């Protein structure tokens, strides 16, 4: 006994698959901007006399132990920093303060290289931030 299919070819319904994928895409698009990157940087202790906190609009440059520099969400090698800073400097106000948060275990040369690079890019007010 052989079974016969008189219907012709069978069709595959992919509508539920497309619906699920669109829902997952919408969830991803909503949650992606809320992801915050956290750097573990051990700042050196500073003087307790005068403190200044970075405002929300000020540019903050992070340098971690692996000599990676983070400006906003961009993670840059220390060697590639001068070219990238010049490209990124056009969208920032040169007269607003720039804060450098460097790990205390870094070499002095690395921190001064970042400071010099920011000064060469045209930023006038560059400060080193500490735990003090």
């Amino acid at each position: 006994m052989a079974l016969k299919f008189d219907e012709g070819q069978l069709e595959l319904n992919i509508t539920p698959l497309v619906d699920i994928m669109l829902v997952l895409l919408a969830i991803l698009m909503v949650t992606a901007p809320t992801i915050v990157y956290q750097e573990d940087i051990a700042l050196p202790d500073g003087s307790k006399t005068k403190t200044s906190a970075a405002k929300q609009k000020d540019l903050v440059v992070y340098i971690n132990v692996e000599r990676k520099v983070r400006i906003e969400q961009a993670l840059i090698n220390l060697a590639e920093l001068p070219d990238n800073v010049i490209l990124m400097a056009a969208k920032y106000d040169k007269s607003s303060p720039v804060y450098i948060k460097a790990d205390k275990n870094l070499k002095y040369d690395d921190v001064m290289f970042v400071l010099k690079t920011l000064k060469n890019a045209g930023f006038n007010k560059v400060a080193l931030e500490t735990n003090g």
Side-chain angles (χ1 to χ4, degrees), residues 46-106:
S47 65
K48 307 280 186 207
T49 56
K50 183 180 177 185
T51 60
S52 64
K55 297 176 187 169
Q56 194 69 11
K57 63 179 179 154
D58 294 338
L59 179 63
V60 180
V61 178
Y62 298 93
I63 313 168
N64 61 16
V65 178
E66 290 88 25
R67 299 178 64 201
K68 302 277 186 187
V69 178
R70 184 168 62 91
I71 301 174
E72 288 187 350
Q73 303 301 330
L75 193 63
I76 306 164
N77 281 337
L78 198 60
E80 301 167 354
L81 182 67
D83 296 333
N84 288 320
V85 165
I86 291 174
L87 292 175
M88 296 173 78
K91 63 180 180 178
Y92 296 108
D93 182 21
K94 301 285 197 291
S95 63
S96 66
V98 177
Y99 295 99
I100 298 175
K101 289 186 174 186
D103 196 282
K104 67 180 177 181
N105 298 320
L106 282 171

